[in-house]
């Protein structure tokens, strides 16, 4: 079970903030873009040669961030569990957007998978499933940011470096990269094959 009802969690924020970064429970557009920038830095410069799947794509904001930064991929696919977000992302991006439970369902193949903080309201077990499924569906790497630390809250899931290392070992990740310090209690991780 998720730590919270994610549908209610996002619907409440959208009701207040609309189709914005804050509607996705980000603190601000800036905090969303800081995390997106770190992910983009971990992706190859010749991104237009690769397919990219955005796991937990929300409103497709990473796609528009790539456009704004002139760093487009060959093909973008978004995946999200919530129908409303998928509908907005389809309209906003014009790309293939799939409604699916990333922890349980088969995912499309892509060169790279990315995820920006979509795992923060999952349980530790679900986070493990999410990472495993995304890493299995990519041919090169999975880059994700997640809340980092050893905190116990009723809403958010924090992950320690040791937990990340354990998952990487179990999945046979050949190269793990980290980026920290851009935001308190946040880490971006690259799992590469």
């Amino acid at each position: 079970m998720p730590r919270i009802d994610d549908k209610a969690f996002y619907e409440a924020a959208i009701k207040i903030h609309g189709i914005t970064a804050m509607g996705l429970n980000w603190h601000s557009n800036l905090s969303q873009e800081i995390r997106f920038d770190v992910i983009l830095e971990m992706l190859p410069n010749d991104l237009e040669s690769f397919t990219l799947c955005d796991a937990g794509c929300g409103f497709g904001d990473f796609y528009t961030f790539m456009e704004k930064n002139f760093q487009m991929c060959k093909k973008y696919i978004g995946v999200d569990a919530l129908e409303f977000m998928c509908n907005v992302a389809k309209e906003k991006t014009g790309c293939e957007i799939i409604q699916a439970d990333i922890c349980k369902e088969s995912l499309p193949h892509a060169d790279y998978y990315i995820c920006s903080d979509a795992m923060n309201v999952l349980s530790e077990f679900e986070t493990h499933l999410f990472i495993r499924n995304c890493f299995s569906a990519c041919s090169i790497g999975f880059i994700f940011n997640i809340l980092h630390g050893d905190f116990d809250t009723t809403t958010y899931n924090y992950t320690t470096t040791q937990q990340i290392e354990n998952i990487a070992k179990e999945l046979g990740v050949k190269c793990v990269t980290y980026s920290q310090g851009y935001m308190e209690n946040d880490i971006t991780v690259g799992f590469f094959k």
Side-chain angles (χ1 to χ4, degrees), residues 15-108:
K15 187 174 182 181
I16 296 168
H17 302 289
I19 300 171
T20 65
M22 291 176 72
L24 294 172
N25 282 301
W26 294 91
H27 291 293
S28 66
N29 286 343
L30 179 61
S31 68
Q32 182 188 49
E33 289 194 352
I34 287 169
R35 289 177 176 98
F36 285 173
D37 194 47
V38 175
I39 289 174
L40 200 55
E41 286 175 11
M42 286 186 158
L43 287 165
N45 290 332
D46 61 340
L47 195 52
E48 69 277 353
S49 302
F50 300 101
T51 56
L52 185 139
C53 187
D54 184 355
C57 68
F59 300 139
D61 293 333
F62 189 78
Y63 179 85
T64 55
F65 183 78
M66 287 190 303
E67 277 186 321
K68 186 173 104 175
N69 287 279
F70 307 103
Q71 294 256 1
M72 293 306 296
C73 54
K74 179 167 70 175
K75 180 180 181 184
Y76 172 92
I77 304 164
V79 180
D80 204 281
L82 301 179
E83 181 180 9
F84 175 72
M85 292 199 194
C86 288
N87 292 337
V88 171
K90 280 180 192 174
E91 186 177 315
K92 196 172 176 181
T93 67
C95 296
E96 179 182 1
I97 307 294
I98 299 165
Q99 183 180 356
D101 182 333
I102 294 166
C103 294
K104 297 176 184 171
E105 296 181 49
S106 178
L107 299 176

Side-chain angles (χ1 to χ4, degrees), residues 132-152:
R132 184 186 72 200
N133 286 352
C134 291
F135 188 69
S136 295
C138 73
S139 60
I140 301 173
F142 176 37
I143 300 166
F144 57 93
N145 46 44
I146 194 164
L147 292 172
H148 185 244
D150 191 15
F151 303 102
D152 189 21

Side-chain angles (χ1 to χ4, degrees), residues 132-193:
R132 184 186 72 200
N133 286 352
C134 291
F135 188 69
S136 295
C138 73
S139 60
I140 301 173
F142 176 37
I143 300 166
F144 57 93
N145 46 44
I146 194 164
L147 292 172
H148 185 244
D150 191 15
F151 303 102
D152 189 21
T153 74
T154 56
T155 304
Y156 295 106
N157 174 39
Y158 286 82
T159 303
T160 65
T161 303
Q162 187 59 58
Q163 288 170 311
I164 293 166
E165 292 287 337
N166 291 345
I167 294 169
K169 185 176 181 181
E170 181 190 311
L171 297 178
V173 175
K174 289 201 165 89
C175 177
V176 181
T177 61
Y178 296 99
S179 181
Q180 298 180 69
Y182 56 88
M183 201 169 264
E184 188 176 1
N185 299 322
D186 207 87
I187 190 169
T188 299
V189 182
F191 278 8
F192 298 99
K193 295 187 173 184

